[in-house]
Structure formats: C-alpha cells, structure tokens
Amino acid sequence: MAKDYSGGSPKHHHLEPKRKRLTWVFAVSGLCVLFYVLGAWQNTTTPTHKLKLDDVYTKLDCNNTITTTDTTTVTTTSSDSVSLDFDAHHRVQINETAGGFISSQKIPSCDMSYSEYTPCQHPPRSRKFDRAMLKYRERHCPSKEELLLCLIPSPPNYKNPFKWPQSRDYAWYHNIPHKELSIEKAVQNWIQVEGDRFRFPGGGTMFPRGADAYIDDINQLIPLTTGKIRTAIDTGCGVASWGAYLLKRDILTMSFAPRDTHEAQVQFALERGVPAMIGIMASQRTPYPARAFDMAHCSRCLIPWQKFDGMYLIEVDRVLRPGGYWILSGPPINWKKYWRGWERSQEDLKQEQDAIEDVAKHLCWKKVIEKNDLSIWQKPINHIECVESRKVYHTPHICKSENADAAWYKEMETCITPLPEVSNSDEVAGGAVEKWPERAFAVPPRIASGSIPGITVEKFKEDNEVWKDRVSHYKRIISPLPQGRYRNIMDMNAHLGGLAAALIKFPVWVMNVVPAHTNQNTLGVIYERGFIGTYQDWCEAFSTYPRTYDLIHADGVFSIYQDRCDITHILLEMDRILRPEGTVVFRDTVEVLVKVQGITERMRWKSQIMDHESGPFNPEKILVAVKTYWTGETSQQQN
C-alpha cells in the first residue's frame, strides 16, 4: 500500500531525480546568460575606441553640386570591434520633415552669399523693424516659411583656427575676410592684417596701451586676482580683447556686441577662442539670469545709460551679483581731458555724467572711485537700506515681478529687481559664493537654499560625479579632446553645468545653454558656480556667426524638442555654428539617435553610435558625429 509522505520527509531515492532536473535547469540558464553577455560584449564599442577623421577636402561648384574626396574613416583601437547598428530595430516617429527632400537625398549647400548668415540678426530682415531704441538690432528670427533648408558654406581656403593660447592673438584672414576694422580702428590697435592672418595687439578705444595694461589699472582699484571676481559681462565688446586678457586672471567674460557696421566683431572674438555672443541692450532683457555677474564693464560702448529712466543701468543692476562692480570708461568719464576729441561740449558731457551718477545713486550703488579714465560703482550686498531709501527716492521703485530670472524675450523694466530677503545688514542676499576655483564645486546658494525645485545638495554632488565619469569616457572615445583640438564648446542642455565643471582643467570654455522653456531654470546655478551661459529656444537660431564652435554637446536635446519643432532645422542650426571637422556628442535614447543619425548623414557628417559609459545595458546611447570639411568657391558679398 502506498504511503503518503506529504506530512514528512520523502526517501532519498525519491529526491535524486528532482535534484538532477534542477541542476540541468540551472546549468542551461547559466549558459544562456553567459552567451547573452558575450554576444552583447562582442557587438559593442569598447571604451578605448577613438573617433578619428582624416582630412576631407570638398569644393562646392558654382552650380552648388558637391564633389567629395571622401577619405573620412571611423577607426577603433580594436580590429574586431564594430559600431552599434540599431537602424533595423528602432523606428520612432518624431517631428522631422525632409523639407520637401527625399529622405535619402543629401541636403544641398546654400549660396555663398549666406556664408556669414545669422538668421535672427539678418540685416535685410532687421531693417524692417523699428529703429527706436535700436529695436531693429534685436533678435528677429525668420518665420517657418523663411527657414533655409541648406548647409551654410565655409569661405574658400578656410583653415582650422589657431590653437589656444595662440588664437588669442592670431586668426586666419580667409576665415573672416573682413579688413574693415583694421582700417576703421587702425589708430586704436584693435586688429592688424599681416599677410594671410590677422593679429590682435590687444588695443581698444579706451586702452591705447593695450588691454593688459588697462586691466592692471582696474586691478589697482578693485581686486581682480583674489578669486572673488570670476564672471564678468562686457557690453559692446568690440573684438573682446578685454575678455581675452581677463582669462589669464581666471575671470570668464560674457562679451557681446550687435551685428552692425563694424563687420564681424563677435565672429572675430569667437575665432580668437574668446566667449562672445551677438547681442544688444535695446528694449529687451539680456538673456541672462538675475545675480549672474560679479563685474560689468563698458568701455566706450555707446549705450545711453542715463536715458529711458535709467533702464539700461537698471538692467545691469538686475544681472549683477550683490556686491558686484560696474566699470565705465569713455564718454563722459574724464570729459575735462577728452571733450575736444569727442567733439562734444563740456556742458553736454558734464550733464551726461551727472545723470549717470544720479541713476546709480537711485539704484543704491556706491561710487567706489573715479581715477583717470576709469569710474567704478558697487552694488549693495542686500536691499535693506535700499528699501528704506524709497521714502526719499520714489523712483525707480522696487519691482513686484515674481521671476527676476525671466529673460527670454522679456521686456526691460524701469524698476529695481528685488534681492532675496536677509536677516541682517551684513548678510549677502541670496547667499555668498566661494572664491574661485573652490566655487566650481561648492554647493551653489540657489541649491543650498532649496530654491530650485527637485535639486538637492545630494543630487548636485551626484551630478558632479556623473560628469566626472562622462568626461573620462569622452577622453577615451574622442581622441582630440585632451589635446587642445577644441576651444569653444557649447552645451545645448547644460542643466547644472556639470560638463563645464568636469572640463575645468582643459584649455576650453563652455557656453552653457539652458532651454528657455525648461521646468527647472538652472542658469543661475551655473553662474553661481563661476561659469557662463545663456537662455535659448532651440526652435530658433542661436545668436552667433557660422563656424564658431569646435564641439557641441547635446544631452537629451531632441527628446525635449521632438514634439515642439522640426529637428531637421535644429540639426541644420548645429551645422551652421559648428566648425568644419568639429564634433558633436549626442546623448539620447536609441530611437531618437537613429533618427538623428539618418539626418546627419544627409548633412555629410560622419558618425558612430556607441554605448553608454556604464555599459551596453543602459538604454541611453551616445552618438559621436564629425562635420566633414568642405568649402564654397564663389565670393559673392553677403546682403
């Protein structure tokens, strides 16, 4: 009679077959996992791969046809490694139109007259707008119907720029074929033509002894080398020599100037490897957050500071950090010496200076010193006394605006941007920042105070570690990165500025871009870390000339914009601002990268999809692309 063993232990001979079956199950499962891992490993790019390109020289015929000697290759350090191919497995519908082209068709080149095309500061379009307050020189972007669906050509004989620091003093003539400044500003030593190159002696309208000597004069009046001053803004920068020579003092300057009769000022600055943007103080706020800059500067920048109820000085006050300095040289400073040369009356110049002094006083600024050609004011560290002074100075009043950082197509206001509240008169409003270089990795006050939703101190520290690992990975997969090949870098979605911080020891600077409509406005954090950047809507063109960046980093950009605008136009804009043989690093999902890669191939870029630095199992991938070298041949003048 069979016995029931359900309530007790079965005999040994009953257990043996079950153990054998379990052993086989575990063995087969283990082999499956092993072979899966081996297969993934063999079909992925190892971290030691380097993306390298041979020179590709292409000429554009007059009929806009392209002939290419394509010696471009993507090489790796392992002969048995292959690039990742997801095309057959990942298809996704995102906002990308072929612009009327067949999806496999190469995107054509634009006419050579567009070689220096700046879409949102295009002179023929600008002339249609109001000239009052120079509004016509502000951003006026083309409509969707006006957008170009072609590649901006490089000028004939274009060469890679000089490497930094040599580029500070030299640029190739054929890269920016404009001699106007060397003639107009000859006596001021802005720029000189020497054979096939430009030389920048460091001169300026108000610093005939050179920018270096001029900065030394400033350093005798306020401390420039203690690490207290790190970020600066130069309004009406010319060719940005002031910012160029501040770099060796570890001061990073956002230089800007309008696109005007002095051809290519900003283009010269960027060709030199100096941070700069096309911009103007007209009717809209500058695209920077409140409390961003430690120092602001105007050297004969021709801005009417005393007009429009002091609106332009009020805007400078908005972007200056508590305790920040404003430096003015040129008219009307030292008018008793220069009034004849400036061809203005003494009464007129004295009246202008008195008006500027009055606006500064109403802003609660303190006049630090006026010596020779320099006059310096300082913003208070908080608004305790300033609020009290409104009983005497009824204008400008303190703004009631809820968002002082809002600066994308935001009208300037004639009221004082309020500083964060403090508990005593010695406290720095919004929190003090560390001195440079500790400032780069210290917890920014905006994060320490919890004013950025979702960003904690712990997340900030984790982000620093993440970018440390990422940049180590980039050094392995992008061979020229540690060799000084790149100088001007743009981070299209900078978040907390982690990329810029991780690159701090490289001879580079980073334009940190925060998308204008993001839920987390982190640009103020980036400035508190001692870096610079701007707001930008990537459905529009960036305020720069063509061929002004060596490396562009696009982290999740197309996932953000895929439902907002045509990604083909974003990629064409990236091509416009990227130098020939420049590099782009995309980070995104496989689905998005496959679509992006398809478009970049039509733009004649060479690219390779690689694994995430954490390995093949991370769903995020990296696409590294390089713009090939080609130039136009015709020499028509820009309209």
Side-chain angles (χ1 to χ4, degrees), residues 165-216:
Q166 190 180 14
S167 66
R168 187 195 70 179
D169 302 325
Y170 293 98
W172 296 113
Y173 170 77
H174 291 292
N175 289 9
I176 312 175
H178 292 287
K179 295 182 179 180
E180 294 90 339
L181 280 175
S182 66
I183 299 169
E184 288 187 38
K185 303 292 182 180
V187 297
Q188 297 168 11
N189 237 11
W190 280 28
I191 182 173
Q192 297 174 353
V193 179
E194 296 181 350
D196 63 349
R197 67 186 66 184
F198 291 109
R199 186 170 73 86
F200 301 90
T205 308
M206 292 308 301
F207 29 96
R209 295 180 294 124
D212 228 11
Y214 176 80
I215 292 168
D216 285 340

Side-chain angles (χ1 to χ4, degrees), residues 106-144:
K106 297 294 184 184
I107 296 175
S109 65
C110 304
D111 187 84
M112 265 303 297
S113 62
Y114 287 97
S115 179
E116 294 177 4
Y117 182 52
T118 53
C120 297
Q121 287 91 6
H122 190 44
R125 184 181 302 107
S126 297
R127 287 193 284 268
K128 301 175 184 177
F129 292 88
D130 191 355
R131 300 184 73 85
M133 296 179 65
L134 301 180
K135 291 181 181 179
Y136 73 106
R137 287 184 176 171
E138 293 180 320
R139 285 175 59 89
H140 300 291
C141 298
S143 65
K144 186 176 180 180

Side-chain angles (χ1 to χ4, degrees), residues 20 25 46 167 182 256 269 272 295 323 362 478 588 608 638:
K20 289 182 177 179
V25 168
T46 65
S167 66
S182 66
F256 71 82
R272 299 174 69 183
M295 177 170 61
H362 281 65
I478 307 174
D588 224 308
Q608 180 176 336
Q638 172 99 10

Side-chain angles (χ1 to χ4, degrees), residues 7-28:
S9 299
K11 299 291 184 182
H12 176 75
H13 65 274
H14 289 286
L15 289 174
E16 193 64 31
K18 292 183 179 180
R19 288 178 179 172
K20 289 182 177 179
R21 285 197 298 273
L22 287 173
T23 301
W24 277 105
V25 168
F26 284 123
V28 172

Side-chain angles (χ1 to χ4, degrees), residues 97-391:
T97 66
F101 299 113
I102 301 171
S103 60
S104 61
Q105 192 175 8
K106 297 294 184 184
I107 296 175
S109 65
C110 304
D111 187 84
M112 265 303 297
S113 62
Y114 287 97
S115 179
E116 294 177 4
Y117 182 52
T118 53
C120 297
Q121 287 91 6
H122 190 44
R125 184 181 302 107
S126 297
R127 287 193 284 268
K128 301 175 184 177
F129 292 88
D130 191 355
R131 300 184 73 85
M133 296 179 65
L134 301 180
K135 291 181 181 179
Y136 73 106
R137 287 184 176 171
E138 293 180 320
R139 285 175 59 89
H140 300 291
C141 298
S143 65
K144 186 176 180 180
E145 293 71 29
E146 295 176 294
L147 293 173
L148 298 180
L149 279 163
C150 53
L151 304 173
I152 301 298
S154 301
N157 303 314
Y158 178 89
K159 297 180 182 179
N160 284 329
F162 292 92
K163 288 185 179 181
W164 184 265
Q166 190 180 14
S167 66
R168 187 195 70 179
D169 302 325
Y170 293 98
W172 296 113
Y173 170 77
H174 291 292
N175 289 9
I176 312 175
H178 292 287
K179 295 182 179 180
E180 294 90 339
L181 280 175
S182 66
I183 299 169
E184 288 187 38
K185 303 292 182 180
V187 297
Q188 297 168 11
N189 237 11
W190 280 28
I191 182 173
Q192 297 174 353
V193 179
E194 296 181 350
D196 63 349
R197 67 186 66 184
F198 291 109
R199 186 170 73 86
F200 301 90
T205 308
M206 292 308 301
F207 29 96
R209 295 180 294 124
D212 228 11
Y214 176 80
I215 292 168
D216 285 340
D217 291 342
I218 296 173
N219 190 48
Q220 292 176 10
L221 307 178
I222 57 174
L224 296 182
T225 56
T226 63
K228 181 180 179 182
I229 295 174
R230 165 62 180 175
T231 56
I233 183 170
D234 190 12
T235 55
C237 65
V239 295
S241 288
W242 190 70
Y245 282 86
L246 278 172
L247 285 166
K248 71 179 186 180
R249 296 163 172 87
D250 279 337
I251 296 176
L252 193 58
T253 306
M254 176 67 79
S255 300
F256 71 82
R259 175 164 187 156
D260 62 1
T261 53
H262 296 154
E263 284 286 355
Q265 294 178 87
V266 167
Q267 191 175 14
F268 276 120
L270 288 158
E271 191 74 9
R272 299 174 69 183
V274 179
M277 288 179 63
I278 300 174
I280 191 170
M281 297 192 79
S283 68
Q284 296 175 346
R285 285 181 173 180
T286 53
Y288 316 117
R291 313 193 316 274
F293 299 99
D294 305 313
M295 177 170 61
H297 174 257
C298 163
S299 174
R300 196 166 185 171
C301 61
L302 305 180
I303 295 172
W305 298 110
Q306 77 284 8
K307 293 185 178 180
F308 311 115
D309 298 320
M311 185 171 68
Y312 298 135
L313 270 184
I314 290 171
E315 172 63 6
V316 171
D317 180 80
R318 183 185 73 86
V319 299
L320 265 186
R321 281 196 55 75
Y325 297 97
W326 183 56
I327 302 169
L328 177 63
S329 67
I333 304 304
N334 207 1
W335 55 266
K336 292 179 181 179
K337 177 180 178 181
Y338 294 111
W339 67 276
R340 287 188 179 89
W342 291 338
E343 299 180 347
R344 291 174 60 184
S345 70
Q346 296 183 66
E347 294 76 12
D348 181 34
L349 287 162
K350 182 181 184 305
Q351 185 179 27
E352 181 180 340
Q353 179 155 356
D354 289 345
I356 291 173
E357 300 272 10
D358 189 60
V359 174
K361 186 181 296 183
H362 281 65
L363 289 172
C364 309
W365 291 5
K366 174 187 175 183
K367 182 73 172 288
V368 176
I369 193 170
E370 182 173 329
K371 184 177 180 181
N372 298 325
D373 297 345
L374 291 164
S375 193
I376 302 177
W377 287 262
Q378 186 174 25
K379 178 178 176 176
I381 62 171
N382 59 58
H383 271 170
I384 288 181
E385 292 184 9
C386 198
V387 170
E388 187 66 22
S389 72
R390 293 311 94 184
K391 296 175 183 178

